Amino acid sequence: MKVAVIGGGIGGLAFALGLHKRGLDCEVYEAVPEVKEIGVGITILPHAMTELAALGLQAKLESLGIENEESVFFNRFGQFIYKEPRGRYAGYKVPEVGIHRGRLHRVLYEAAIERLGADKIHTNHRCVSVEQNENEAIVHFIEGSTGKPLPSIKADIAVACDGVNSAVRKQFYPHEKLMFAGINFWRGITRHKPILTGKSYVRIGSIETGKIVLYPIIDNIDGNGNQLINWATEIRRADCGMNDWNKKGELADFADVYKDWKFPWLDVPNLLATADEIFEHPMVDKDPVSQWTFGRITLMGDAAHPMYPRGSNGSAQAIIDGRVLAQLLLESNGDWNAAMVKYDAIRRPATAKVVETNRSTPPDFINIKVEELTGGKPFDNIDDVVSQEELRKISEDYKKVAGFALAKDGAVG
Ligand SMILES: Cc1cc2nc3c(=O)[nH]c(=O)nc-3n(C[C@H](O)[C@H](O)[C@H](O)COP(=O)(O)OP(=O)(O)OC[C@H]3O[C@@H](n4cnc5c(N)ncnc54)[C@H](O)[C@@H]3O)c2cc1C
């Protein structure tokens, strides 16, 4: 069996490594001419790390990122709301790691080149369409850099891992639109002294009136003990247009919301103003669809289930998709169709729940709830507002939906 993997992002490369590990043949076709370390931070949650550890990448990733010790929530006045230990500090077998997205991608890319061979990873191949007949799937390409047509390729099955704006998904759902709920965000990286424990994942404020998420992704970036801090600011505005993710972010577009956020433990305006780089994105997802597998073609990762990045879960779900399909293909005795249908039946409902929960009650719902209960004002004592138990339940419920609740043996449940 030969598998064509369309898209060499996080999901596509992890899937290719999973196929290779199981002795299944595949080739990867990636649109960009050259894989560069782009992006800002990403969190590898325990379920994602469990998958990456199975691919033999845990030690490398740990060495390139920062292990999270705790997740901490504050209101927009900098008042402490809730915290919990994370990763190994919470009893998981594997760590939770904050890392530069480009580094994670680079680790996967280099592993794929080393294990599959450079001749199996084709950059500069932008898929424009896929067709199929009784015998094969046929994938058509143009050169990513020039737009010139390239020879088509044939495989037994084609798996579309081509991201949120998937060309393959568009073939099956031509009228579908990105869903934008009036929330824009700006992301950046700043060299800064360690915040709180120096291993803290911090959420401040609420999406309704302004929120910032921050965590370190590189230690001692300058030899003076500063860290590279990844941050993302988010705000819902009823009348705003969608941010353009091809544009550089402008501090002036969002700094006003945070101008008074000066806490004894962090000066937010300063953190934002001293950023190395700022990007802007719209917060978008798509409604879950009724089918991913169409004969020899199926969808995976963001192409299958684009979700709001509010629970650090998009890449985790993409990587799990890849392991599930690779294992089903291995067990299929050549009946790839049964494997692809089963993959759809298992992963589509599971990820639809994550998409829906990221809209309604992601982890930062903790902050929204406190803001609602306090009328957006400072409080005297958080225990008079809401119990820690109630807040813990929001966090634990999310872990169950996303598939990383802590099992008794330290595994993900
Ligand atoms: C701001 C933000 C923060 C996030 N934070 C986290 C986080 O903390 N933790 C987490 O787990 N997830 C996070 N995510 C989500 C995560 O980045 C994605 O869910 C994940 O990258 C999905 O992997 P993928 O392979 O499906 O898509 P991608 O990683 O986007 O890869 C798609 C690949 O396909 C290529 N491609 C596109 N079109 C074509 C084509 N026509 N032909 C060939 N190749 C093509 C692209 O160049 C790209 O390399 C975040 C997302 C955003 C936007």
Side-chain angles (χ1 to χ4, degrees):
M1 186 190 315
K2 181 160 180 198
V3 183
V5 180
I6 304 169
I10 292 169
L13 290 172
F15 177 48
L17 289 168
L19 289 169
H20 176 263
K21 182 182 160 185
R22 291 168 177 81
L24 299 171
D25 188 20
C26 71
E27 300 204 21
V28 179
Y29 301 90
E30 163 57 46
V32 301
E34 194 190 342
V35 171
K36 293 190 188 139
E37 289 201 7
I38 52 168
V40 277
I42 198 164
T43 305
I44 306 175
L45 292 176
H47 50 339
M49 187 57 97
T50 301
E51 304 293 342
L52 293 162
L55 294 174
L57 301 173
Q58 179 182 336
K60 181 91 188 160
L61 293 168
E62 273 195 78
S63 74
L64 294 173
I66 296 187
E67 181 170 1
N68 286 341
E69 179 177 327
E70 60 175 13
S71 169
V72 201
F73 297 71
F74 296 88
N75 68 5
R76 68 188 161 106
F77 307 102
Q79 292 181 293
F80 169 79
I81 292 174
Y82 171 75
K83 79 171 165 181
E84 62 182 25
R86 299 292 285 196
R88 281 193 284 231
Y89 294 87
Y92 289 91
K93 283 182 188 155
V94 293
E96 176 179 306
V97 170
I99 191 168
H100 194 290
R101 187 195 174 280
R103 287 185 163 190
L104 167 60
H105 192 215
R106 167 74 56 193
V107 168
L108 290 165
Y109 181 67
E110 284 175 356
I113 295 272
E114 189 189 311
R115 297 178 196 178
L116 279 71
D119 58 329
K120 301 270 178 154
I121 316 291
H122 309 272
T123 50
N124 217 3
H125 276 65
R126 177 171 290 280
C127 165
V128 282
S129 63
V130 188
E131 58 178 310
Q132 55 185 312
N133 58 36
E134 260 179 35
N135 304 317
E136 63 219 350
I138 306 161
V139 191
H140 303 293
F141 297 100
I142 55 172
E143 210 170 54
S145 53
T146 62
K148 286 190 192 140
L150 287 172
S152 303
I153 63 97
K154 293 175 180 170
D156 292 297
I157 62 172
V159 180
C161 310
D162 52 343
V164 61
N165 294 311
S166 166
V168 179
R169 179 167 167 143
K170 207 163 276 166
Q171 249 182 265
F172 296 106
Y173 297 98
H175 304 299
E176 187 186 45
K177 293 216 159 59
L178 285 170
M179 304 296 285
F180 174 62
I183 303 164
N184 277 317
F185 62 111
W186 289 265
R187 312 193 75 198
I189 36 177
T190 304
R191 289 150 207 269
H192 194 278
K193 65 179 192 307
I195 297 166
L196 301 178
T197 62
K199 293 177 164 199
S200 301
Y201 185 110
V202 182
R203 292 179 174 90
I204 315 167
S206 113
I207 209 153
E208 305 299 339
T209 51
K211 171 186 151 196
I212 180 163
V213 176
L214 52 96
Y215 53 91
I217 54 173
I218 299 181
D219 237 343
N220 199 15
I221 184 84
D222 52 4
N224 291 322
N226 284 314
Q227 294 179 322
L228 196 64
I229 306 289
N230 169 81
W231 52 261
T233 65
E234 300 159 29
I235 184 151
R236 190 197 305 274
R237 287 186 179 125
D239 54 351
C240 66
M242 227 169 87
N243 267 359
D244 177 353
W245 49 45
N246 297 313
K247 268 178 35 190
K248 270 215 154 288
E250 291 297 333
L251 183 64
D253 289 339
F254 63 98
D256 199 45
V257 175
Y258 304 94
K259 65 179 187 304
D260 302 325
W261 290 32
K262 294 182 182 183
F263 316 131
W265 54 276
L266 178 67
D267 182 332
V268 175
N270 175 262
L271 180 84
L272 303 180
T274 53
D276 287 0
E277 277 187 296
I278 301 180
F279 304 90
E280 67 172 53
H281 302 267
M283 195 174 287
V284 287
D285 66 3
K286 288 179 185 169
D287 285 335
V289 286
S290 55
Q291 194 177 346
W292 290 353
T293 294
F294 300 85
R296 294 174 179 273
I297 303 161
T298 196
L299 308 176
M300 182 174 283
D302 277 6
H305 45 70
M307 56 184 65
Y308 284 173
R310 291 174 77 184
S312 311
N313 242 287
S315 70
Q317 300 303 325
I319 295 168
I320 295 170
D321 292 346
R323 187 255 302 156
V324 169
L325 181 56
Q327 186 61 25
L328 288 169
L329 288 170
L330 175 69
E331 292 165 2
S332 71
N333 286 325
D335 186 355
W336 50 262
N337 186 247
M340 303 226 319
V341 168
K342 197 163 176 191
Y343 157 73
D344 185 320
I346 295 172
R347 290 300 295 156
R348 204 168 36 74
T351 52
K353 263 184 135 177
V354 186
V355 171
E356 283 152 13
T357 309
N358 278 11
R359 289 178 180 175
S360 61
T361 41
D364 64 279
F365 185 66
I366 286 179
N367 288 10
I368 295 175
K369 188 170 179 79
V370 169
E371 190 169 81
E372 276 169 14
L373 291 169
T374 57
K377 301 220 161 56
F379 49 75
D380 291 331
N381 183 345
I382 187 63
D383 295 331
D384 297 336
V385 177
V386 60
S387 72
Q388 292 288 298
E389 247 346 278
E390 213 176 316
L391 299 177
R392 184 164 301 115
K393 185 168 181 321
I394 295 171
S395 180
E396 294 306 322
D397 285 350
Y398 184 77
K399 289 175 198 165
K400 283 184 204 143
V401 169
F404 69 105
L406 177 64
K408 278 207 179 72
D409 60 356
V412 284

